[in-house]
Amino acid sequence: TETPEPTDTPAPTETPTPTEAPSADTTIAEIQGTSDASPLDGKTVTTQGVVTAVYPTGNKNGFYIQMADGTAPADHTGSTGVFVYNKDLSFVKQVKIGDSVTVTGQVSEYYNATQLTASKVEVLSNSLGTVTPKEIDQQAWADKGSRENYEGMLLKPTGLVVTDNYSLNTYGEIGLAFGDTPLKQPTAVGAPDSAEAKAQVEDNEARAILLDDGSTWDYMKNADAKKSPLPYLDLDHPVTVGAEANFNEGVVLDYSFDKWRLQPTQQQVGTENMPVAFSDVREAAPKLGTDVTVASFNVLNYFPTLGNTDQ
């Protein structure tokens, strides 16, 4: 993703890992609540969870924790996962996926995403349990009101296709769409502001989601990124519009830069250990019996007027 804007969350005062884990007085479910913002915003809490994703590289500076299977209240309809922010990585380097931990930190809404800024983290000797990725499909994702209920949780989405790879070589992002077909430009189906175009906008919103790379690198500018292979893509792993995206591992639902994103459980570098496999929809090279001349023309700069009106 893009380099994040400066956080207005106070820098944590980090302390050495305690020898005994403090008891958890607040559950992740209580931190997340059931609305768009945490009911505990600004408060310091202690909670427990299972580590589902860790980012010691790539500048995300944190890890995700989630309540173990079967431990959330039966009537809770909100998220049971949350991001733990740790700027200097001191706690990030202590944990690994699958660890059970106790975390003390301040709750905040970082650009509309709930997070904890860690001041204490303890790895527990006794396991809290395991976390099974929750499956979501097109019908579940189309319910915009329930998306907040999955924020920070380990998911396994089904029924997705690649709709664009435009930002792959800059921010490591791949546009995905629930359903069998890529998204359409609204003005490709109707005139601007027409009922057809507006309906397509709604359809795009109901189906679109980004696959991110677990980092905030800009591959065009970041020095480390320039030395790293692009995520998800190489000569043997094409990422083609219209290809099926089949997830073989869980990914975490993240919200940043005004978009919902699926984050791998660790920074994705190159094509090793990918949580997703893309089908190859490219046709075999044509066999030509004669010379062929190829011409191209930029069609991205059409305008609906000639500049001679106020519209």
Side-chain angles (χ1 to χ4, degrees), residues 131-196:
V131 175
T132 302
K134 180 178 179 60
E135 290 193 5
I136 60 168
D137 57 14
Q138 181 174 348
Q139 182 176 0
W141 186 249
D143 183 359
K144 301 174 190 177
S146 68
R147 293 178 184 180
E148 191 78 22
N149 297 342
Y150 308 130
E151 180 193 86
M153 292 180 60
L154 195 64
L155 304 180
K156 195 171 184 181
T158 60
L160 286 157
V161 298
V162 176
T163 191
D164 75 77
N165 51 23
Y166 183 76
S167 297
L168 182 55
N169 71 328
T170 49
Y171 304 123
E173 302 167 348
I174 298 173
L176 301 179
F178 283 91
D180 300 325
T181 58
L183 306 180
K184 297 179 181 179
Q185 287 292 341
T187 50
V189 300
D193 295 325
S194 66
E196 293 82 2

